[in-house]
Amino acid sequence: MADAHAGEVVPNPYAPTGVAPLIDFSNGPIPSRSVDSGVRFEDLDAYMNLPETTLPEDQVLRPGLPEGWVQVGDMVIPRAVAEGADVRTPRSLDQLHGPASAGKVMGPSAADLCAFPEATPDGIYSGEFNRGSEYPRRGTIYMNYTGGKLINGGENSAENMSSLALTGSTYPVYGGGEAKAVAVAQAVQTDFAELAVRVVYLKRPPKRLPYVMIMMGGSYKDTTSGPAGGVAPGADCEDSGLRNVCYAFVKGSAATDQSNVASQEIGHTMGLGHTYGKDRVMAYGYDTNSNIDMGFGDVCSPVYISMGQAGYCAGVNKCHCASDGTQQHDLRTLKAIYAPPGPDMVPPTISITSPADGASFLPSDLITVEVDPSDDYGGYGWDITVTDSNDTVLAEIVDYQIAQQFNFKGLAPGVYTITARVQDHSDQIGEHAIKITIEGEENETGAPTTSDSEAGSEAGSEAGSEAGSDSGSSGSDSADTSGEATDDGCSCRQGPPDAALALWAVPALLGLRRRKHP
């Protein structure tokens, strides 16, 4: 059955939906949800060699595979891909949900990015991109050594959401100590030295910025994975998943082995598969006791294919290796996506294009805020903050779905400030603010009142059902406006505490890759 779907194309399961979030203020400010574990990086030594904290099996929810997904060898992928289909990434919002959408950006195509453009199938590196996902990009890898509570479903590093997470379980703190954690992080940064991808670990990036998160330590028992040395979402053949979560089950092994495992799992989130060979991080089944600090391959190497499985990311591989799709060039694939290292001197910009500054609405109106973010490199992210006349933050909402729109309702009469912020991977921030008025009377104390109850409990119920457990509200990142660089390369200049309802509606139909040691 390996070629039952040969020649077919399936959409990338990680592509943003382009659906704008709906925020309902009928019940007051949108409460925040912290994603911080409460453990500081500098306290890691206190967790060295502690027993595993995995919950008993009968206390952990282990969801099965989503319908239409199968496990083949060491990964879970769409059945069609396992049977020969290739993956394509919808590039523009028009392709996602109709011509009424805005935000299409033109960028490099297969002719610009491929060593063998004539061998590249249509739809690979199409040259059309959603805002924030343009090539070339800059990127951030957050190495999470402090653990935390994860949520099963979807892929959203900013909200601790992962298709591989266990509901009801807290991912344990890394048990290798602070010195080894730093050494591993430095080795991972070396692996990505040819790309504009930074590795941070002391401070978590703010939620508006897209980043890959790798959970360091723990065990496969802390995930939905079977026995493995690491696990990551797979089948992201053109790296649409800007906020994936992956895992490296390491603690007692040497720093070089830990960095090799980590870089491989991160590579999977960027669209790389396993290859044959013993001298590169994407190799399948290399000797973990060799103490060799490996890197990404710079030649075309055969892709490791499990028995009964068809090729993996064949279209991308044809672009870079001109074979039948069964060879992979690690660095060419990554360099098609990410810019070379170097300073980023151009800050991003954002403008609120609708509504107009000073616009007025009724309490029952559905308000649509449209934004136009831009930067000279892809990978940036944006959000909006809603504050009242007392400068109280009512919500901070990240555009996880790259919709360039935010819908909200239920605001009481009064004057509100809407601030849009965009951030790049050099922690440069651009912003634009407008004021709107919700019409209505004010009581004797000056507090607004409303006689319109249309946005009451019914609206609140609607927002609750839309958000549900798949929507993460923004956490309580601490403010840091100093702009001074930290030792891990993250001078993350954060704005007000993230306090938003952040909708993440990507279906939990995600593949995974697992490392099998010999």
Side-chain angles (χ1 to χ4, degrees), residues 1-7 72 79-85 305-311:
M1 296 292 291
D3 59 354
H5 290 268
V72 180
R79 183 183 297 277
V81 174
E83 296 176 353
I305 300 176
S306 300
M307 183 178 298
Q309 177 197 339

PDB file of all heavy atoms in Angstrom, residues 1-7 72 79-85 305-311:
ATOM      1  N   MET A   1       0.812  -1.211   0.000  1.00  0.00           N
ATOM      2  CA  MET A   1       0.000   0.000   0.000  1.00  0.00           C
ATOM      3  C   MET A   1       0.848   1.265   0.000  1.00  0.00           C
ATOM      4  O   MET A   1       0.329   2.371   0.067  1.00  0.00           O
ATOM      5  CB  MET A   1      -0.922   0.014   1.219  1.00  0.00           C
ATOM      6  CG  MET A   1      -1.962  -1.102   1.232  1.00  0.00           C
ATOM      7  SD  MET A   1      -3.173  -0.858  -0.107  1.00  0.00           S
ATOM      8  CE  MET A   1      -4.032   0.589   0.492  1.00  0.00           C
ATOM      9  N   ALA A   2       2.177   1.117  -0.064  1.00  0.00           N
ATOM     10  CA  ALA A   2       3.051   2.287   0.066  1.00  0.00           C
ATOM     11  C   ALA A   2       2.842   3.290  -1.056  1.00  0.00           C
ATOM     12  O   ALA A   2       3.124   4.469  -0.894  1.00  0.00           O
ATOM     13  CB  ALA A   2       4.508   1.850   0.116  1.00  0.00           C
ATOM     14  N   ASP A   3       2.344   2.847  -2.237  1.00  0.00           N
ATOM     15  CA  ASP A   3       2.158   3.779  -3.350  1.00  0.00           C
ATOM     16  C   ASP A   3       0.692   3.948  -3.712  1.00  0.00           C
ATOM     17  O   ASP A   3       0.368   4.399  -4.811  1.00  0.00           O
ATOM     18  CB  ASP A   3       2.955   3.307  -4.560  1.00  0.00           C
ATOM     19  CG  ASP A   3       2.554   1.907  -5.022  1.00  0.00           C
ATOM     20  OD1 ASP A   3       1.727   1.261  -4.326  1.00  0.00           O
ATOM     21  OD2 ASP A   3       3.061   1.457  -6.061  1.00  0.00           O
ATOM     22  N   ALA A   4      -0.217   3.622  -2.784  1.00  0.00           N
ATOM     23  CA  ALA A   4      -1.642   3.716  -3.078  1.00  0.00           C
ATOM     24  C   ALA A   4      -2.073   5.139  -3.390  1.00  0.00           C
ATOM     25  O   ALA A   4      -3.044   5.362  -4.109  1.00  0.00           O
ATOM     26  CB  ALA A   4      -2.459   3.165  -1.903  1.00  0.00           C
ATOM     27  N   HIS A   5      -1.381   6.125  -2.829  1.00  0.00           N
ATOM     28  CA  HIS A   5      -1.721   7.526  -3.065  1.00  0.00           C
ATOM     29  C   HIS A   5      -0.606   8.248  -3.820  1.00  0.00           C
ATOM     30  O   HIS A   5      -0.486   9.474  -3.724  1.00  0.00           O
ATOM     31  CB  HIS A   5      -1.994   8.234  -1.743  1.00  0.00           C
ATOM     32  CG  HIS A   5      -3.263   7.803  -1.085  1.00  0.00           C
ATOM     33  ND1 HIS A   5      -4.462   8.437  -1.291  1.00  0.00           N
ATOM     34  CD2 HIS A   5      -3.524   6.773  -0.231  1.00  0.00           C
ATOM     35  CE1 HIS A   5      -5.408   7.844  -0.584  1.00  0.00           C
ATOM     36  NE2 HIS A   5      -4.865   6.831   0.064  1.00  0.00           N
ATOM     37  N   ALA A   6       0.210   7.508  -4.544  1.00  0.00           N
ATOM     38  CA  ALA A   6       1.306   8.121  -5.290  1.00  0.00           C
ATOM     39  C   ALA A   6       0.759   9.153  -6.268  1.00  0.00           C
ATOM     40  O   ALA A   6      -0.227   8.912  -6.971  1.00  0.00           O
ATOM     41  CB  ALA A   6       2.093   7.044  -6.035  1.00  0.00           C
ATOM     42  N   GLY A   7       1.399  10.302  -6.304  1.00  0.00           N
ATOM     43  CA  GLY A   7       0.976  11.373  -7.192  1.00  0.00           C
ATOM     44  C   GLY A   7      -0.049  12.307  -6.592  1.00  0.00           C
ATOM     45  O   GLY A   7      -0.310  13.376  -7.147  1.00  0.00           O
ATOM     46  N   VAL A  72       3.634   4.537  11.162  1.00  0.00           N
ATOM     47  CA  VAL A  72       4.441   3.725  10.266  1.00  0.00           C
ATOM     48  C   VAL A  72       5.877   3.805  10.736  1.00  0.00           C
ATOM     49  O   VAL A  72       6.492   4.871  10.698  1.00  0.00           O
ATOM     50  CB  VAL A  72       4.334   4.198   8.800  1.00  0.00           C
ATOM     51  CG1 VAL A  72       5.188   3.312   7.893  1.00  0.00           C
ATOM     52  CG2 VAL A  72       2.902   4.210   8.333  1.00  0.00           C
ATOM     53  N   ARG A  79      -2.407   9.101   6.683  1.00  0.00           N
ATOM     54  CA  ARG A  79      -2.384   7.823   5.964  1.00  0.00           C
ATOM     55  C   ARG A  79      -2.021   8.027   4.502  1.00  0.00           C
ATOM     56  O   ARG A  79      -1.256   7.226   3.924  1.00  0.00           O
ATOM     57  CB  ARG A  79      -3.750   7.143   6.077  1.00  0.00           C
ATOM     58  CG  ARG A  79      -3.797   5.765   5.405  1.00  0.00           C
ATOM     59  CD  ARG A  79      -5.184   5.165   5.491  1.00  0.00           C
ATOM     60  NE  ARG A  79      -5.561   4.933   6.870  1.00  0.00           N
ATOM     61  CZ  ARG A  79      -5.211   3.849   7.572  1.00  0.00           C
ATOM     62  NH1 ARG A  79      -4.453   2.917   7.007  1.00  0.00           N
ATOM     63  NH2 ARG A  79      -5.606   3.703   8.814  1.00  0.00           N
ATOM     64  N   ALA A  80      -2.530   9.088   3.895  1.00  0.00           N
ATOM     65  CA  ALA A  80      -2.243   9.319   2.482  1.00  0.00           C
ATOM     66  C   ALA A  80      -0.758   9.532   2.245  1.00  0.00           C
ATOM     67  O   ALA A  80      -0.200   9.084   1.243  1.00  0.00           O
ATOM     68  CB  ALA A  80      -3.044  10.520   1.972  1.00  0.00           C
ATOM     69  N   VAL A  81      -0.084  10.224   3.159  1.00  0.00           N
ATOM     70  CA  VAL A  81       1.353  10.440   3.020  1.00  0.00           C
ATOM     71  C   VAL A  81       2.091   9.118   3.159  1.00  0.00           C
ATOM     72  O   VAL A  81       3.046   8.834   2.421  1.00  0.00           O
ATOM     73  CB  VAL A  81       1.853  11.456   4.064  1.00  0.00           C
ATOM     74  CG1 VAL A  81       3.378  11.582   4.022  1.00  0.00           C
ATOM     75  CG2 VAL A  81       1.218  12.816   3.826  1.00  0.00           C
ATOM     76  N   ALA A  82       1.651   8.287   4.097  1.00  0.00           N
ATOM     77  CA  ALA A  82       2.271   6.976   4.266  1.00  0.00           C
ATOM     78  C   ALA A  82       2.102   6.121   3.026  1.00  0.00           C
ATOM     79  O   ALA A  82       2.896   5.203   2.782  1.00  0.00           O
ATOM     80  CB  ALA A  82       1.657   6.260   5.467  1.00  0.00           C
ATOM     81  N   GLU A  83       1.094   6.428   2.236  1.00  0.00           N
ATOM     82  CA  GLU A  83       0.810   5.620   1.042  1.00  0.00           C
ATOM     83  C   GLU A  83       1.171   6.351  -0.241  1.00  0.00           C
ATOM     84  O   GLU A  83       0.656   6.032  -1.302  1.00  0.00           O
ATOM     85  CB  GLU A  83      -0.664   5.209   1.050  1.00  0.00           C
ATOM     86  CG  GLU A  83      -1.009   4.299   2.241  1.00  0.00           C
ATOM     87  CD  GLU A  83      -2.481   3.955   2.322  1.00  0.00           C
ATOM     88  OE1 GLU A  83      -3.270   4.524   1.528  1.00  0.00           O
ATOM     89  OE2 GLU A  83      -2.846   3.117   3.156  1.00  0.00           O
ATOM     90  N   GLY A  84       2.075   7.344  -0.151  1.00  0.00           N
ATOM     91  CA  GLY A  84       2.653   7.905  -1.358  1.00  0.00           C
ATOM     92  C   GLY A  84       2.327   9.338  -1.665  1.00  0.00           C
ATOM     93  O   GLY A  84       2.913   9.921  -2.585  1.00  0.00           O
ATOM     94  N   ALA A  85       1.388   9.970  -0.955  1.00  0.00           N
ATOM     95  CA  ALA A  85       1.041  11.367  -1.239  1.00  0.00           C
ATOM     96  C   ALA A  85       2.152  12.294  -0.771  1.00  0.00           C
ATOM     97  O   ALA A  85       2.892  11.985   0.168  1.00  0.00           O
ATOM     98  CB  ALA A  85      -0.273  11.732  -0.568  1.00  0.00           C
ATOM     99  N   ILE A 305      13.555   5.385   5.030  1.00  0.00           N
ATOM    100  CA  ILE A 305      12.145   5.087   4.800  1.00  0.00           C
ATOM    101  C   ILE A 305      11.813   3.770   5.475  1.00  0.00           C
ATOM    102  O   ILE A 305      12.433   2.737   5.199  1.00  0.00           O
ATOM    103  CB  ILE A 305      11.826   5.008   3.295  1.00  0.00           C
ATOM    104  CG1 ILE A 305      12.158   6.344   2.622  1.00  0.00           C
ATOM    105  CG2 ILE A 305      10.373   4.636   3.070  1.00  0.00           C
ATOM    106  CD1 ILE A 305      11.960   6.333   1.118  1.00  0.00           C
ATOM    107  N   SER A 306      10.834   3.810   6.381  1.00  0.00           N
ATOM    108  CA  SER A 306      10.419   2.600   7.080  1.00  0.00           C
ATOM    109  C   SER A 306       9.718   1.654   6.117  1.00  0.00           C
ATOM    110  O   SER A 306       9.175   2.055   5.083  1.00  0.00           O
ATOM    111  CB  SER A 306       9.464   2.948   8.223  1.00  0.00           C
ATOM    112  OG  SER A 306      10.087   3.805   9.150  1.00  0.00           O
ATOM    113  N   MET A 307       9.690   0.379   6.484  1.00  0.00           N
ATOM    114  CA  MET A 307       9.038  -0.619   5.660  1.00  0.00           C
ATOM    115  C   MET A 307       7.564  -0.264   5.454  1.00  0.00           C
ATOM    116  O   MET A 307       6.847   0.053   6.391  1.00  0.00           O
ATOM    117  CB  MET A 307       9.151  -1.994   6.317  1.00  0.00           C
ATOM    118  CG  MET A 307       8.551  -3.132   5.487  1.00  0.00           C
ATOM    119  SD  MET A 307       8.763  -4.738   6.292  1.00  0.00           S
ATOM    120  CE  MET A 307      10.558  -4.845   6.354  1.00  0.00           C
ATOM    121  N   GLY A 308       7.134  -0.277   4.210  1.00  0.00           N
ATOM    122  CA  GLY A 308       5.747   0.014   3.899  1.00  0.00           C
ATOM    123  C   GLY A 308       5.440   1.484   3.753  1.00  0.00           C
ATOM    124  O   GLY A 308       4.316   1.868   3.443  1.00  0.00           O
ATOM    125  N   GLN A 309       6.417   2.331   3.949  1.00  0.00           N
ATOM    126  CA  GLN A 309       6.189   3.777   3.877  1.00  0.00           C
ATOM    127  C   GLN A 309       6.709   4.318   2.559  1.00  0.00           C
ATOM    128  O   GLN A 309       7.749   3.896   2.061  1.00  0.00           O
ATOM    129  CB  GLN A 309       6.901   4.480   5.024  1.00  0.00           C
ATOM    130  CG  GLN A 309       6.782   5.992   4.974  1.00  0.00           C
ATOM    131  CD  GLN A 309       7.795   6.677   5.854  1.00  0.00           C
ATOM    132  OE1 GLN A 309       8.322   6.070   6.773  1.00  0.00           O
ATOM    133  NE2 GLN A 309       8.063   7.930   5.560  1.00  0.00           N
ATOM    134  N   ALA A 310       5.986   5.262   2.012  1.00  0.00           N
ATOM    135  CA  ALA A 310       6.443   5.924   0.800  1.00  0.00           C
ATOM    136  C   ALA A 310       7.465   6.999   1.154  1.00  0.00           C
ATOM    137  O   ALA A 310       7.883   7.131   2.297  1.00  0.00           O
ATOM    138  CB  ALA A 310       5.250   6.514   0.057  1.00  0.00           C
ATOM    139  N   GLY A 311       7.868   7.793   0.155  1.00  0.00           N
ATOM    140  CA  GLY A 311       8.850   8.839   0.385  1.00  0.00           C
ATOM    141  C   GLY A 311       8.345   9.907   1.332  1.00  0.00           C
ATOM    142  O   GLY A 311       7.150  10.026   1.600  1.00  0.00           O
TER     143      GLY A 311
END
